[in-house]
Amino acid sequence: MAPACAQRLAYDECDGRHSAGFRGDRYGAWQGRVLQGDGFITAIGGNDYRTLEHPVTGGVVFYAVNLRMQQPISGYASVVPAADLHTQFCELGANSGYQTQHLLWTTAKGVVTKNLDGTKKQTLLQRFDLDRGTWSAWCALGDGQSLLDANGRVTLPPRVADCKLPAQCIEARYLSKGSAQTLEIHRVSLARTAEEALLPVTSPSATAAAPSTQDPTAKTSNTAALITPRLAPVEVPLIPWPRSLERNHGALTLPATFKIATDSATLDAHAAVFAAELQVLTGSKGHVAHEPDTDAIIRLRLDKTLASEAHTITITDAVTVCGSDAVAIAHGTASLLHLLDTKENGWQWECLRITDSPTCSYRGLLVDVARKPHPIATLTQLVTLCRLYKVRYLQLHLTDDQAFTFPSTAFPKLATKGHSYTQAELSYLEAFATARGVSIVPEFDVPGHCGALIKAMPELFRAHDLHHATIAFVKPEVLLAVDTILGEMLAIFPSAPFCHIGGDEADLEHVLENPIFAAALKDTGLDSAEELYRHFLCQLRERILARGKQMIVWEGFAATGKVTIPRDVIVMAFESLYHTPDKLVENGYPVINASWQPLYVVNDRCWSEREIYAWNRGHFQHFIEGYPAFRGIDVPVNQVLGAQLCAFEQPAELELQSLRKRLAAMAERTWNEGAGRSFEDFAARLQHSDRRLDQLLGNLR
């Protein structure tokens, strides 16, 4: 019988009896698992995660997994630790790109070993030095004991040696992924020594190491566990950190039934949402009433003296939230969702007073629904994510070369079959978001990125046979069509004060070969396609202003030109290439920071929440050497409206997992820029907030 392992941090013997240190994540426990002998079988297509209870933030740790495939496969299988979904370290399986059936493969190094017999039981052992930021990997047939010498140490050379880690924290997970397949998993273990990682746990007394109370950022030379405890106690579990917080003695318990009183009908929709959220979290049932209602335990009140989005929260013998409008009230109730805690006497709020308002007026998340289909259910999850972290705007990239997802009634042929929404779906999404204090910003990307538009109606939109994505934007009937579609979009999404028209990466190389463009030069007195493009942006700006909205564009127009782009056009600076942010600010344009680094999340091209937390809204950077912002461009923060995290090209099933922690980091940096909190403090609060998100989405109770 193996001894109890004091330095074993998490394990699962996959026998239904011996496991500790992991919790279900996103999809809960393993789906489709079937116990069989000393392991379990999973035949899942897609992802199924388990997450560490105790994220590892320092020291050296060993991860071992024992598995086999029941037959050769055409997909690939992973049972790996990671910092997040996009930083897998090691996997065993088949990969058609390497034309081999079985291999040990790493995201950082490529193929390490080909032609492993995956149908035989394999052990993968990985060593992570989180202080140095490196990892190494070994593999062996059987239970992995052949990797150990007589002293229980690994002395064999690794298959992967000192590869750079993409993050200095292991938070997630082991998983099965790939096409439908049959995979046997026999043991997963995380420990401070290789010997303990490879030893089976056969006794219920051999439990995972207790959480350490040490400073998780401290350094040590021995094997003492440097672990952030599971839901470690924090001062106040709230993200973003508020401007002012006064804690008082006592607590208020939420009863089994409760009232939410509002003093305006404009708050009723949100009050109903908040009551439903509290029921999901606690089981308590609430209903909405109108003041005066002195026995209401929660009171939502308008206070027009407060600035936009500003709010106060007072918790004594009742909860009172005051705000300038329903959005401000929603921010206040979002804080209450974070602060609600379960105690011996039930669900409670600590007595306190918060006075809060955002530093940045624009705090956004972009989701690319044009390149990959996103069901409404995914988008409602992301609305909930935005709500929890007080992210005001959700931009939908509705059109691109791959699909036109908007259901135009004026031009019904445009909607891409099998990859578009109905008006009822989008109207539902708008109502869902508005009731939660989130405004949807529609994006109709023109005059470039219009491949789907041109494919559907080439007779109207095509500019040139050599252009697959640039429309004939100088044609009056094209301008009318774009204006009509924008009007339809704004009718469905009325809550946001903005309309995004893209405006980036328009290919103008051959458009002047089209007689229509040559005639437009003569009619306007302009002398280049670039000037016609600038003129088109001005035309759209006039039409959007006439509808009471402000136009947003991606940086795309040059810093100089004969046609002046009005200074009320908001520019999202993303590549810092076409019109760099320092010049945009110098030229008087309102700027939103959507910098590639660290605010883009594009599958494997993304940055950690630690890097986002270290960033500020005045810093713009690009990862490509030779770009103007490769080494960074900084502008005064007070000249930047805010920031937006941009998720492009990702499949729907990856969005929530890849965005949940990154968005929280950006939210705190844009809500209360001067909070002066450390990343370690933020990370501790994030454990609570991320668990609360799962609870709100119904994944955990």
Side-chain angles (χ1 to χ4, degrees), residues 427-493:
S427 295
Y428 167 79
L429 181 64
E430 168 73 3
F432 183 93
T434 302
R436 288 159 178 78
V438 178
S439 296
I440 294 177
V441 178
E443 181 189 352
F444 180 13
D445 202 347
V446 289
H449 289 275
C450 290
L453 198 70
I454 295 168
K455 183 179 179 180
M457 296 184 68
E459 70 283 359
L460 175 60
F461 292 107
R462 187 182 298 280
H464 194 284
D465 289 342
L466 295 178
H467 287 297
H468 77 284
T470 301
I471 58 173
F473 55 87
V474 298
K475 291 169 64 174
E477 54 268 42
V478 168
L479 177 62
L480 177 61
V482 171
D483 181 46
T484 299
I485 295 166
L486 286 172
E488 291 181 303
M489 286 184 176
L490 294 175
I492 286 187
F493 300 115

Side-chain angles (χ1 to χ4, degrees), residues 118 315 317 334 371 597 599 604 650:
I315 304 176
D317 57 348
R371 289 186 175 89
Q597 183 175 346
L599 298 181
D604 289 340
Q650 299 200 135

Side-chain angles (χ1 to χ4, degrees), residues 23-47:
R23 65 176 174 87
D25 183 27
R26 188 176 179 191
Y27 297 120
W30 285 80
Q31 298 180 46
R33 66 182 274 170
V34 178
L35 288 169
Q36 182 174 306
D38 64 342
F40 71 82
I41 313 302
T42 177
I44 305 164
N47 299 318

Side-chain angles (χ1 to χ4, degrees), residues 254-258 274-286 337 340-342 346-349 692 695-696 701:
L254 184 71
T257 60
F258 62 91
F274 187 45
E277 290 169 332
L278 292 177
Q279 184 169 353
V280 168
L281 294 178
T282 70
S284 296
K285 295 182 179 180
L337 294 175
L340 189 63
D341 196 9
T342 179
W347 289 86
Q348 296 181 336
W349 284 293
R692 185 53 41 91
Q695 292 170 325
L696 287 170
R701 177 53 87 72

Side-chain angles (χ1 to χ4, degrees), residues 629-665:
F630 177 66
R631 300 191 185 282
I633 295 175
D634 290 281
V635 303
V637 293
N638 60 2
Q639 295 183 300
V640 180
L641 293 179
Q644 180 157 279
L645 195 71
C646 299
F648 278 109
E649 301 179 11
Q650 299 200 135
E653 61 269 20
L654 299 188
E655 296 287 25
L656 181 65
Q657 195 65 23
S658 65
L659 296 174
R660 56 196 302 165
K661 295 183 179 181
R662 294 181 172 92
L663 191 67

Side-chain angles (χ1 to χ4, degrees), residues 355-652:
T355 302
D356 210 0
S357 61
T359 301
C360 301
S361 60
Y362 198 100
R363 307 171 310 284
L365 168 67
L366 175 142
V367 182
D368 180 2
V369 301
R371 289 186 175 89
K372 297 288 177 65
H374 284 61
I376 293 296
T378 297
L379 298 181
T380 57
Q381 286 186 327
L382 298 178
V383 168
T384 301
L385 175 66
C386 289
R387 157 158 169 68
L388 189 63
Y389 295 119
K390 305 182 181 74
V391 173
R392 175 74 186 274
Y393 299 108
L394 175 62
Q395 179 177 331
L396 297 183
H397 187 72
L398 291 164
T399 68
D400 213 298
D401 297 342
Q402 292 77 8
F404 191 93
T405 70
F406 184 77
S408 170
T409 56
F411 300 93
K413 291 169 61 176
L414 294 180
T416 302
K417 188 175 181 179
H419 187 172
S420 58
Y421 300 104
T422 67
Q423 290 210 353
E425 286 177 319
L426 295 182
S427 295
Y428 167 79
L429 181 64
E430 168 73 3
F432 183 93
T434 302
R436 288 159 178 78
V438 178
S439 296
I440 294 177
V441 178
E443 181 189 352
F444 180 13
D445 202 347
V446 289
H449 289 275
C450 290
L453 198 70
I454 295 168
K455 183 179 179 180
M457 296 184 68
E459 70 283 359
L460 175 60
F461 292 107
R462 187 182 298 280
H464 194 284
D465 289 342
L466 295 178
H467 287 297
H468 77 284
T470 301
I471 58 173
F473 55 87
V474 298
K475 291 169 64 174
E477 54 268 42
V478 168
L479 177 62
L480 177 61
V482 171
D483 181 46
T484 299
I485 295 166
L486 286 172
E488 291 181 303
M489 286 184 176
L490 294 175
I492 286 187
F493 300 115
S495 65
F498 309 110
C499 180
H500 203 304
I501 60 91
D504 63 313
E505 300 174 337
D507 182 1
L508 305 176
E509 184 176 357
H510 296 284
V511 294
L512 293 182
E513 298 168 13
N514 185 333
I516 296 173
F517 278 80
L521 287 179
K522 183 177 180 180
D523 292 342
T524 60
L526 300 173
D527 58 7
S528 69
E530 172 71 22
E531 296 299 334
L532 290 175
Y533 153 74
R534 296 170 72 96
H535 178 63
F536 175 69
L537 296 184
C538 293
Q539 289 176 306
L540 292 186
R541 176 252 181 194
E542 292 173 2
R543 285 156 176 77
I544 289 169
L545 278 179
R547 290 188 167 92
K549 307 292 184 180
Q550 190 170 6
M551 190 169 86
I552 303 177
V553 298
W554 298 109
E555 78 175 80
F557 61 88
T560 59
K562 292 182 179 179
V563 176
T564 300
I565 307 296
R567 266 54 176 182
D568 58 8
V569 172
I570 299 172
V571 182
M572 284 188 172
F574 69 110
E575 288 199 295
S576 300
L577 176 65
Y578 310 99
H579 195 162
T580 57
D582 51 339
K583 293 298 182 183
L584 284 167
V585 167
E586 181 182 316
N587 291 334
Y589 290 101
V591 174
I592 293 170
N593 190 326
S595 178
W596 247 102
Q597 183 175 346
L599 298 181
Y600 263 49
V601 183
V602 186
N603 295 307
D604 289 340
R605 178 72 70 182
C606 54
W607 286 263
S608 70
E609 58 268 23
R610 179 185 288 272
E611 291 169 295
I612 295 171
Y613 203 81
W615 154 95
N616 69 75
R617 61 178 160 136
H619 184 72
F620 299 78
Q621 193 161 359
H622 203 290
F623 66 94
I624 297 179
E625 189 169 3
Y627 272 49
F630 177 66
R631 300 191 185 282
I633 295 175
D634 290 281
V635 303
V637 293
N638 60 2
Q639 295 183 300
V640 180
L641 293 179
Q644 180 157 279
L645 195 71
C646 299
F648 278 109
E649 301 179 11
Q650 299 200 135

Side-chain angles (χ1 to χ4, degrees), residues 63-222:
Y63 185 96
V65 59
N66 188 252
L67 76 166
R68 83 174 189 93
M69 301 171 191
Q70 290 193 338
Q71 66 279 322
I73 61 171
S74 59
Y76 56 92
S78 307
V79 184
V80 297
D84 59 44
L85 188 62
H86 302 299
T87 51
Q88 296 168 194
F89 300 123
C90 205
E91 63 190 16
L92 176 70
N95 189 306
S96 59
Y98 295 111
Q99 298 180 338
T100 181
Q101 282 298 305
H102 301 290
L103 53 91
L104 174 64
W105 179 83
T106 74
T107 55
K109 287 280 191 180
V111 176
V112 176
T113 303
K114 292 185 179 181
N115 302 318
L116 295 177
D117 187 353
T119 62
K120 294 182 179 179
K121 191 179 289 187
Q122 307 276 340
T123 293
L124 303 183
L125 177 68
Q126 294 154 84
R127 177 186 186 274
F128 299 94
D129 188 330
L130 296 171
D131 296 336
R132 293 177 56 214
T134 62
W135 69 281
S136 303
W138 296 259
C139 60
L141 291 173
D143 60 7
Q145 293 298 310
S146 62
L147 295 173
L148 300 175
D149 64 13
N151 296 316
R153 296 179 179 178
V154 180
T155 56
L156 296 175
R159 299 292 182 100
V160 181
D162 293 328
C163 191
K164 184 178 179 181
L165 279 173
Q168 289 183 290
C169 174
I170 298 177
E171 299 182 16
R173 109 192 95 247
Y174 63 86
L175 63 95
S176 163
K177 70 175 292 187
S179 55
Q181 59 202 31
T182 306
L183 177 71
E184 291 180 17
I185 304 175
H186 295 270
R187 180 182 308 118
V188 181
S189 183
L190 186 71
R192 286 292 174 179
T193 68
E195 182 179 25
E196 289 176 323
L198 291 170
L199 280 174
V201 177
T202 56
S203 169
S205 64
T207 56
S212 169
T213 57
Q214 290 180 260
D215 178 357
T217 64
K219 304 296 182 182
T220 182
S221 59
N222 57 33

